[in-house]
Amino acid sequence: MRDIPAQFAYRSLQQGKSLFGVAHKQASTALMDLVAPGASSPTLAVGPELLRTLQARMDRLLERDWQEAIEGLYPRELLFDAPWGEWLLRYPLIWLDLPAIWARRQRRDVRDLPRNIDGRQYPDYYLQNFHHQTDGYLSDRSAELYDLQVEILFNGTADAMRRRVLRPLLQAVQGIERPRILDVATGTGRTLQQIQAARPGASLVGIDLSEAYLRQAGRRLHQSSGALPQLLQGNGEELPFRDASFDAVTCVFLLHELPAEARSAVLRECRRVLRPGGRLVLADSIQLADAPDCATVLENFRRVFHEPYYRHYISDDLDGRIANAGLQLQGAESWFMTRVWWADRRSED
Ligand SMILES: C[S@@+](CC[C@H](N)C(=O)[O-])C[C@H]1O[C@@H](n2cnc3c(N)ncnc32)[C@H](O)[C@@H]1O
């Protein structure tokens, strides 16, 4: 049965988040043009037709998010879940951080990282200020602001897009009493949180290169109900797990931040740690081939934000890479700015 008041509440919440995201971006761009005109780059501004396309894509995503909650795929409370108090406190920090971001942009400095970092621990491609973000992925300050920054970027739809991995994931582990699920590049643990709520009995593991992001994930996951996921620092290209040790693997918003060879290496590793018949569910940016009407947005995105591998990513043959990694593609769908692929390791592998 449709619950009209709750659906209205969800729509209103999302509308509020969306307006907030748009207002923040407009205000910060206007301020940047005033205070630091040299830091200016093409903006994310779009014409009316593209705006309608984006709005329609977003509406479709939110409708699906609501429907799947109503069907009981995940608890409805998840749609309203966010660390509101924390975000309120952190929002001023986003503004205070802007001058440092503009200064880095003006200097074209994309390797402005904390001095105490031992660079030998990380792949070279990782040691950058992705999205011009202060400290890259390498400090607690960055980890504390990340979720809010992503919410603003996607006008409050980040979790709704992450939740699109749940249907193919849950289908794959149906009937397994305590499935083992790995989330590669788990970041601050938002995807793990969605999985934990949808499949409380699962044994969850998250891995990421950033210790600071894992600390943030630990704090967040500690507050939610369900068994605490195991969190490990490590590289998705060399997963520290035995062959065939997981029933399913997820990987959300990582591939576009990797050079092409690393993309393939991560996919091969995901296959290796899956048991025969196990499933990989990927979610990442849409690409030019599946969303040609969004080409301007995709092109602008890489210009406005420092995303060094995005240009290659948006034209990359990911279906081919998935097949070359030894996985059988089962399906793919696009939801607003995210594409989801699911692919299985052969049962006889
Ligand atoms: C855009 S964030 C996505 C985080 C999270 N999955 C989410 O949905 O918000 C990319 C994450 O990938 C991690 N990362 C980048 N390269 C990695 C690698 N080779 N192995 C493991 N983690 C990596 C970063 O530290 C960061 O947390």
Side-chain angles (χ1 to χ4, degrees), residues 57 69 79 86 112 127 130 141 306 315:
R57 292 179 75 97
L79 307 190
E86 198 181 303
D112 180 17
L127 295 171
F130 286 90
R141 175 171 60 163
H306 177 59
S315 316

Side-chain angles (χ1 to χ4, degrees), residues 45-98:
V46 292
E49 197 178 324
L50 185 48
L51 211 55
R52 273 194 296 278
T53 303
L54 293 174
Q55 187 63 51
R57 292 179 75 97
M58 194 195 294
D59 290 346
R60 193 174 149 263
L61 164 74
L62 298 177
E63 182 58 27
R64 172 56 74 103
D65 199 28
W66 173 256
Q67 282 305 330
E68 292 195 339
I70 287 294
E71 283 172 29
L73 198 67
Y74 38 83
R76 217 167 52 180
E77 297 77 59
L78 211 50
L79 307 190
F80 299 91
D81 173 70
W84 299 112
E86 198 181 303
W87 285 356
L88 199 67
L89 289 176
R90 302 246 158 96
Y91 183 59
L93 302 181
I94 288 193
W95 282 98
L96 290 175
D97 195 30
L98 285 178

Side-chain angles (χ1 to χ4, degrees), residues 123 125-126 130-131 137 146-147 150 162 183-191 207-210 213 234-237 251-254 256-258 262 266 307:
Y125 62 76
Y126 185 71
F130 286 90
H131 330 128
Y137 286 119
Y146 171 82
D147 285 343
V150 175
R162 290 187 185 103
D183 185 38
V184 176
T186 198
T188 56
R190 293 298 298 178
T191 304
I207 189 162
D208 198 283
L209 269 172
S210 169
Y213 276 57
N235 188 343
E237 293 180 82
C251 180
V252 177
F253 301 147
L254 170 68
H256 73 278
E257 295 203 340
L258 299 179
V266 166
E307 283 286 6

Side-chain angles (χ1 to χ4, degrees), residues 4 21 52 58 77 81-82 92 103 109 142 144 196-197 201 207 217 232 254 274 284 305 311 316 319 325 336 341:
I4 305 293
R52 273 194 296 278
M58 194 195 294
E77 297 77 59
D81 173 70
D109 183 356
S142 160
E144 284 164 6
Q196 195 183 43
I207 189 162
L232 271 105
L254 170 68
L274 276 172
D284 218 297
F305 299 97
R311 184 181 206 169
D316 195 14
D319 293 8
F336 187 35
W341 294 257

Side-chain angles (χ1 to χ4, degrees), residues 131-152:
H131 330 128
H132 296 287
Q133 102 200 7
T134 298
D135 300 335
Y137 286 119
L138 294 164
S139 74
D140 290 306
R141 175 171 60 163
S142 160
E144 284 164 6
L145 295 185
Y146 171 82
D147 285 343
L148 187 51
Q149 284 166 332
V150 175
E151 278 299 318
I152 291 172

Side-chain angles (χ1 to χ4, degrees), residues 2 36 65 93 103 122 148 187 198 204 236 243 249 252 307 334 342:
R2 290 172 79 90
D65 199 28
L93 302 181
Y122 305 98
L148 187 51
L204 302 179
D243 293 0
V249 175
V252 177
E307 283 286 6
S334 294
W342 54 104

